[in-house]
Amino acid sequence: IAGITQAPTSQILAAGRRMTLRCTQDMRHNAMYWYRQDLGLGLRLIHYSNTAGTTGKGEVPDGYSVSRANTDDFPLTLASAVPSQTSVYFCASSEKAGSTDTQYFGPGTRLTVL
Amino acid sequence: GQNIDQPTEMTATEGAIVQINCTYQTSGFNGLFWYQQHAGEAPTFLSYNVLDGLEEKGRFSSFLSRSKGYSYLLLKELQMKDSASYLCAVYAGDYKLSFGAGTTVTVRA
């Protein structure tokens, strides 16, 4: 089934630990995005990638890093997790960057940092 | 930064009509999206407006006025399954999608 998968579905993490959230899409979309969703704040862009090999910072990038080694995968890493990173994380993709293409979202990862 | 406002909550009766308003102030404008998000699930695409006017898609319609920085999503013949959050999102001049906080719609029998 075409779409976006994310792993893990949920995770409880001790503060200070390193964590990588995985995202894979099979739609051959060029652009990929990571958002966090917090109650009352809506979805906020963390990092994005316009195409394989390139990444950029979004609205709230501090404490997060990404890589885009190929078209399909776009992992998000928390180098040293803090409680304020407790959130629901959504990965999304769109056919091409710099356009108004529809973004399609993965099922999300619910992360709790204690 | 971008500013997108929508009401926090709305309640309506099954079979009724509900209108969710969205106002935006952004650096440039390249289009407006509405997404539906059921609790615990991913946002899913509902509609896209880039020109002024009404776009109709079955029970759902979306309206845009670029001069007023205003959009609304109209849900007709409400069903229980329409209970969800509805997210207004704008592509600003930098082609990054900015989201409102979402409007939670509760449909009562």
Side-chain angles (χ1 to χ4, degrees), chain A residues 19-86:
Chain A
M19 176 74 191
T20 295
L21 308 185
R22 300 185 297 280
C23 174
T24 300
Q25 54 102 359
D26 63 2
M27 298 178 282
R28 306 304 295 172
H29 283 174
N30 284 310
M32 297 187 74
Y33 313 86
W34 273 106
Y35 293 90
R36 60 178 290 173
Q37 187 174 40
D38 302 290
L39 197 63
L41 292 178
L43 287 155
R44 292 181 292 168
L45 183 65
I46 304 171
H47 284 288
Y48 64 92
S49 170
N50 289 338
T51 189
T54 70
T55 63
K57 294 181 179 180
E59 180 186 355
V60 288
D62 294 344
Y64 306 94
S65 63
V66 292
S67 61
R68 185 92 183 275
N70 57 60
T71 298
D72 299 343
D73 300 301
F74 190 42
L76 176 74
T77 297
L78 289 67
S80 178
V82 295
S84 62
Q85 292 177 312
T86 293

Side-chain angles (χ1 to χ4, degrees), chain B residues 71-87:
Chain B
S71 173
Y72 68 73
L73 180 69
L74 196 68
L75 285 62
K76 293 177 280 190
E77 300 169 18
L78 278 172
Q79 302 176 9
M80 298 301 289
K81 67 178 181 180
D82 298 330
S83 291
S85 287
Y86 293 85
L87 314 180

Side-chain angles (χ1 to χ4, degrees), chain B residues 37-105:
Chain B
Q37 185 178 24
H38 286 101
E41 298 183 7
T44 55
F45 168 75
L46 280 180
S47 68
Y48 170 64
N49 295 72
V50 64
L51 300 176
D52 290 351
L54 189 68
E55 294 280 343
E56 296 187 87
K57 196 183 284 188
R59 294 188 299 113
F60 293 178
S61 303
S62 57
F63 172 84
L64 175 67
S65 169
R66 289 173 297 171
S67 63
K68 295 182 179 178
Y70 168 70
S71 173
Y72 68 73
L73 180 69
L74 196 68
L75 285 62
K76 293 177 280 190
E77 300 169 18
L78 278 172
Q79 302 176 9
M80 298 301 289
K81 67 178 181 180
D82 298 330
S83 291
S85 287
Y86 293 85
L87 314 180
C88 176
V90 174
Y91 264 122
D94 59 359
Y95 289 99
K96 297 296 181 288
L97 202 57
S98 294
F99 286 82
T103 300
T104 299
V105 172

